[in-house]
Amino acid sequence: MPELPEVETTLRGIRPHLEGRQIRELKVRERRLRYPIAEGTEARLAGQRILGLRRRGKYLLLDLEEGSLLLHLGMSGSLRILPLTTPPGPHDHLDLVMEDGRCLRLRDPRRFGLFIWTAAPPEHHALIRDLGPEPLEGGFDGAYLHKRARNRQVAVKAFIMDAKVVVGVGNIYASESLFLAGIHPNRPAGQVSESQYALLARSIRTVLGESIAAGGTSLRDFVAEDGHPGYFARQLRVYGHEGQPCPHCGTDLRREKIGQRSSFFCPNCQV
DNA sequence: CCGGACGCCTGTCGGC
DNA sequence: TGCCGACAGGCGTCCG
């Protein structure tokens, strides 16, 4: 489900309810996420204050007085702020209960998400350590992408979805940004010019920024912290639009599998 | 190192 | 109506 804009939307929604506040307890109903929630996590969290919340790629990082929490929403996860009295529904796997009686509730039907407490700074964690640059911050531009793509044969779409190259670009926004940049998703990454990568880097920032402004994309599961959906789905230019006319030239949009993932593009505009 | 395939899960949808 | 396969927003791991 969530790519960078959905995680950013979630972060902005939950932050005011959690930052600076004290955790009363962690209630786990289902430990079996992508990695099982470690025994003893409850004891680690009880009574701790949440000092700050951050996003790194598609990960949410909660800095505590001792250690940090590392959360990922996988394909189908969402986080909501609810009164503890709200009965949990199916797949509501855990509640982080705050002193004010409200809780951060994780719902994740497919259980590809994760919830890990780590003693060390989270950027030292193996899942975070090797991540590439943030696309909305400095250090991400055409020169960087061009350099990383040298001698790479992999399709440019798979290349920009590689979190070691750049974080946060998932299957929706990869198709969308390649369309904006006029680059065919199947082009070998090493055969894209630096000026085209400059355009692609700009397109990635444009698309992610637009989606954050719309509160993310809700195709099925995604809801923000208060339960409302994101509205970027109606602004998608190609994703899910197989057989519909290209917004630029009118040619029928195509869908093709690239690296086992559906990819949407205009066979006329994208070369 | 690189590229590609697979598996982890549940839910939904379309075709027959 | 029921069944079955395909597919879904991610990503770590394994194999050649």
Side-chain angles (χ1 to χ4, degrees):
Chain A
M1 159 191 89
E3 303 182 37
L4 187 150
E6 293 74 42
V7 180
E8 181 67 23
T9 298
T10 298
L11 172 70
R12 293 179 184 185
I14 65 175
R15 177 183 272 146
H17 303 280
L18 301 180
E19 198 160 54
R21 312 223 179 184
Q22 196 173 14
I23 298 167
R24 183 188 296 169
E25 62 172 332
L26 170 67
K27 284 187 170 172
V28 181
R29 285 176 287 272
E30 173 59 81
R31 312 194 84 85
R32 296 172 302 167
L33 303 184
R34 177 147 62 95
Y35 303 109
I37 297 173
E39 301 290 336
T41 304
E42 290 91 335
R44 289 285 188 190
L45 300 188
Q48 285 220 58
R49 196 167 294 281
I50 300 175
L51 303 178
L53 292 87
R54 297 177 285 154
R55 178 187 59 73
R56 179 73 177 97
K58 300 174 193 169
Y59 290 87
L60 287 169
L61 312 177
L62 278 62
D63 293 309
L64 310 177
E65 292 167 296
E66 287 179 47
S68 299
L69 274 174
L70 209 149
L71 278 71
H72 196 289
L73 300 177
M75 288 278 262
S76 60
S78 58
L79 289 167
R80 298 184 63 176
I81 300 286
L82 293 166
L84 189 54
T85 51
T86 307
H91 311 302
D92 283 343
H93 303 314
L94 63 85
D95 294 337
L96 191 65
V97 185
M98 308 306 292
E99 273 305 327
D100 65 3
R102 284 188 296 183
C103 67
L104 178 73
R105 180 166 287 170
L106 171 68
R107 171 173 299 186
D108 184 4
R110 295 177 72 180
R111 289 192 275 122
F112 290 170
L114 58 85
F115 186 97
I116 293 175
W117 178 84
T118 175
E123 38 281 304
H124 294 183
H125 194 279
L127 293 168
I128 306 290
R129 199 190 309 142
D130 300 323
L131 294 178
E134 291 286 334
L136 298 178
E137 294 177 10
F140 178 71
D141 57 17
Y144 167 77
L145 285 175
H146 184 69
K147 181 172 169 230
R148 290 296 304 266
R150 252 179 67 104
N151 298 324
R152 297 288 304 270
Q153 298 302 309
V154 70
V156 62
K157 175 163 178 275
F159 175 69
I160 60 171
M161 289 178 66
D162 180 349
K164 291 184 172 58
V165 173
V166 58
V167 294
V169 183
N171 202 36
I172 295 180
Y173 302 113
S175 279
E176 292 294 308
S177 51
L178 286 164
F179 171 74
L180 268 196
I183 300 169
H184 195 290
N186 230 352
R187 283 263 297 284
Q191 290 176 27
V192 175
S193 71
E194 180 166 343
S195 63
Q196 285 182 309
Y197 271 129
L199 189 52
L200 180 56
R202 268 201 300 281
S203 300
I204 288 171
R205 280 196 294 270
T206 297
V207 167
L208 296 179
E210 286 176 346
S211 181
I212 291 169
T217 301
S218 293
L219 295 180
R220 38 182 74 76
D221 302 301
F222 177 69
V223 291
E225 90 296 343
D226 59 359
H228 77 258
Y231 297 105
F232 193 65
R234 61 185 67 170
Q235 297 177 55
L236 293 172
R237 294 161 173 91
V238 293
Y239 186 88
H241 292 187
E242 180 188 18
Q244 297 174 41
C246 167
H248 286 170
C249 75
T251 303
D252 279 6
L253 295 172
R254 298 252 306 267
R255 176 169 73 146
E256 234 174 73
K257 289 267 184 200
I258 295 172
Q260 290 93 247
R261 313 296 299 276
S262 281
S263 310
F264 299 86
F265 62 97
C266 172
N268 183 49
C269 296
Q270 294 176 254
V271 201

